[in-house]
Amino acid sequence: MDEVNKPITLAEEYLNLRERAVSGVKWNAISQFTGQGITIICSIILSRILSPSLFGLFAMIAVLGNLINLIIGMGFNHAVIQNRTLTRKDLDSFFWLNIIVGSVTSALFYFLAPVITAFYGQPELLHVAQVFSIVFIIASATIVPGALLAKDLRFKNLATSNILAFLVSYGGALILGYYS
């Protein structure tokens, strides 16, 4: 029997899965540590280039925004990862449903910005909240592709994607902060 058509033994399959799991842990750790490092460094830089009140406004809205992003992403990524019988149509439906949820959330956040502003008692927060509302659409667009990468155990690609997302988002924040 030639090497290409040789059946894979259970031991070989176990070793392959073990190697992929170890690689996954390594790339997840790299992604987490790099992301936290980028966050800390950029937060320090932003705290230096923004006035304390503007930095505080951004922090207020970021806490609320991160909570909402957590709720938006809950469930769909796990459904994609765990379901073995998903079709292309199912994945397309999940993707567009996430886009719709993200868009509705963005619209609600945008139009409820005056309520958020009143809750915090900070009138300057209005425009920050309205600009921040776009984050929900962007975040919702990453859920299905990220889940597919995780499902396929392509953790290096997922880590690279996450690190690039941190760099782009904080790069944009630094540029906007510098010109504010």
Side-chain angles (χ1 to χ4, degrees):
M1 192 177 281
D2 62 9
E3 194 66 30
V4 175
N5 294 323
K6 179 182 163 190
I8 297 175
T9 66
L10 191 58
E12 289 171 330
E13 188 174 318
Y14 170 77
L15 287 175
N16 184 26
L17 184 59
R18 184 176 178 274
E19 288 171 6
R20 293 174 82 179
V22 168
S23 176
V25 169
K26 176 185 83 172
W27 282 107
N28 189 34
I30 289 170
S31 175
Q32 292 293 319
F33 286 121
T34 305
Q36 290 301 318
I38 292 169
T39 300
I40 290 168
I41 291 167
C42 290
S43 294
I44 291 169
I45 294 169
L46 281 171
S47 72
R48 297 292 179 206
I49 63 176
L50 295 176
S51 67
S53 63
L54 193 54
F55 185 76
L57 293 175
F58 175 75
M60 285 178 183
I61 209 66
V63 168
L64 186 57
N66 288 334
L67 177 64
I68 293 170
N69 264 333
L70 183 66
I71 293 168
I72 288 174
M74 204 179 293
F76 280 112
N77 56 346
H78 298 297
V80 170
I81 292 169
Q82 293 177 0
N83 194 323
R84 296 178 187 204
T85 60
L86 287 176
T87 64
R88 182 54 145 177
K89 186 176 180 181
D90 294 331
L91 292 172
D92 288 345
S93 296
F94 277 149
F95 178 80
W96 288 110
L97 181 60
N98 275 315
I99 294 293
I100 290 168
V101 169
S103 298
V104 168
T105 304
S106 287
L108 284 172
F109 202 82
Y110 182 89
F111 290 113
L112 290 175
V115 175
I116 295 167
T117 299
F119 174 77
Y120 282 119
Q122 299 289 330
E124 307 87 12
L125 192 60
L126 178 66
H127 296 297
V128 175
Q130 289 175 330
V131 170
F132 191 85
S133 68
I134 193 72
V135 167
F136 304 117
I137 297 172
I138 297 167
S140 67
T142 66
I143 293 171
V144 172
L148 288 174
L149 288 173
K151 182 177 186 168
D152 292 340
L153 304 177
R154 294 173 53 196
F155 295 109
K156 180 178 180 180
N157 299 77
L158 187 58
T160 303
S161 170
N162 288 339
I163 291 167
L164 285 173
F166 273 109
L167 290 171
V168 168
S169 63
Y170 277 106
L174 290 171
I175 291 168
L176 290 173
Y178 181 77
Y179 290 107
S180 66

